[in-house]
Amino acid sequence: MGLWPWLTGALLLLLLLVQLSRSARFYAKVSLYCALCVSASTLAAVICLLRHGGRTVENLSIISWFVRTFKYVFGLRFDIKGRQKLEVDHPCVIISNHQSILDMMGLMEALPKRCVQIAKRELLFTGPVGLIMYLGGVFFINRQRSRTAMTVMADVGKRMVRENLKVWVYPEGTRNDNGDLLPFKKGAFYLAIQAQVPVIPVVYSSFSSFYNYKTKFFTSGTIRVEVLDAIPTSGLTVADVPKLMDSCHQAMRTTFLRISKTPQENGATARPGSQPAQ
């Protein structure tokens, strides 16, 4: 018996499992997402090297174009309010909530010109994805060595002013899908005060109406995004970091809870046992 009948049978069985099992559909979509990230990163890296010759923030426009096409594959829509607040011609620190591996799509949808991320150093070693992050000018921080991280942040502060960069930070420090915001870490706020640049909060609604890792749920849906007013840091000192951090957290949490409504209101069909963000 030839090989093709076995391959055909295996493919048909896989398609059947995907149709019958929610978990199979979930893992199939996540695998597709990861495959898209790797393939898009590989192709984008080649284009970035040919066009710009190496590491530069200008590469992010190429990377962003590729990632913004992902939403059509997964049936996602981004409804962004206040995008113009990000299109400023001066350095700033942009902060946003961090929920899942899908955050990269949301980041690229809202990413303004001359904006780079701060990311954990481990991501540098993720093959083509790490390479494209490096080529896009991402600042990598070793979170296990606080002294090294502080040195990098100090360098970032100088460079963002010198090169007119915007820096995007996830102040929660880790992914969080519990329906609320985690306490913020201080790094982004030290950076903003050190460089005397404003902080611009960006809030993404809960993904729970269309994506839930625990229940293996992944379908189409709408993500509501709100860009809040810039918070100035001119004249603030290190002593003001806790107050700045708390005011940003409160404003973002209030917005998050407001825009994270029930699944029906967030653009997806309700499913049994689903819960609105509390």
Side-chain angles (χ1 to χ4, degrees), residues 10-267:
L11 179 59
L12 290 174
L13 179 60
L14 177 61
L15 290 174
L16 180 62
L17 286 173
V18 168
Q19 291 299 317
L20 295 179
S21 168
R22 185 166 75 178
S23 292
R25 290 197 301 272
F26 175 84
Y27 284 115
K29 284 191 172 184
V30 170
S31 297
L32 176 59
Y33 177 76
C34 293
L36 285 173
C37 288
V38 172
S39 57
S41 296
T42 302
L43 184 55
V46 173
I47 296 173
C48 289
L49 288 170
L50 290 175
R51 186 168 181 180
H52 295 125
R55 176 178 166 91
T56 170
V57 67
E58 304 301 332
N59 284 328
L60 279 169
S61 61
I62 298 171
I63 302 166
S64 177
W65 184 88
F66 278 96
V67 176
R68 289 199 310 269
T69 64
F70 292 5
K71 62 179 179 286
Y72 302 113
V73 177
F74 299 102
L76 299 177
R77 187 172 72 88
F78 291 86
D79 181 11
I80 303 179
K81 179 180 178 182
R83 184 195 294 268
Q84 72 281 358
K85 297 175 185 177
L86 296 173
E87 300 299 336
V88 293
D89 190 27
H90 56 72
C92 61
V93 173
I94 303 170
I95 57 174
S96 67
N97 51 315
H98 193 15
Q99 300 183 67
S100 79
I101 59 172
L102 304 182
D103 284 337
M104 184 171 66
M105 285 194 287
L107 169 68
M108 293 302 171
E109 284 290 326
L111 193 76
K113 294 179 181 178
R114 300 196 61 76
C115 181
V116 296
Q117 278 182 282
I118 290 180
K120 58 184 180 182
R121 186 171 178 270
E122 291 86 343
L123 292 176
L124 179 60
F125 307 104
T126 53
V129 175
L131 173 61
I132 200 61
M133 292 178 72
Y134 172 81
L135 291 174
V138 170
F139 295 104
F140 295 97
I141 288 184
N142 186 344
R143 297 187 299 184
Q144 305 303 318
R145 298 182 179 179
S146 59
R147 184 168 304 222
T148 302
M150 290 174 63
T151 301
V152 172
M153 292 294 277
D155 180 59
V156 171
K158 295 175 183 177
R159 287 187 58 185
M160 67 186 298
V161 173
R162 184 174 66 245
E163 301 176 23
N164 192 24
L165 297 175
K166 304 174 183 71
V167 177
W168 195 297
V169 185
Y170 294 115
E172 292 171 285
T174 189
R175 296 172 190 163
N176 165 44
D177 61 356
N178 69 1
D180 205 339
L181 300 188
L182 294 176
F184 286 171
K185 298 184 182 300
K186 296 180 180 180
F189 308 98
Y190 275 115
L191 176 62
I193 288 178
Q194 170 193 325
Q196 293 288 283
V197 300
V199 177
I200 304 181
V202 179
V203 185
Y204 293 82
S205 62
S206 173
F207 292 176
S208 63
S209 64
F210 64 88
Y211 179 92
N212 189 310
Y213 180 81
K214 295 175 183 176
T215 61
K216 303 299 181 281
F217 183 78
F218 190 176
T219 185
S220 59
T222 298
I223 301 95
R224 299 173 65 190
V225 187
E226 284 199 19
V227 183
L228 307 186
D229 291 335
I231 301 173
T233 64
S234 179
L236 299 185
T237 68
V238 171
D240 297 302
V241 165
K243 182 178 179 180
L244 175 64
M245 182 173 63
D246 289 344
S247 63
C248 288
H249 188 278
Q250 182 177 355
M252 290 179 67
R253 183 174 186 268
T254 299
T255 302
F256 176 79
L257 296 177
R258 174 172 52 79
I259 65 178
S260 299
K261 302 297 184 181
T262 60
Q264 298 96 318
E265 294 172 304
N266 199 34

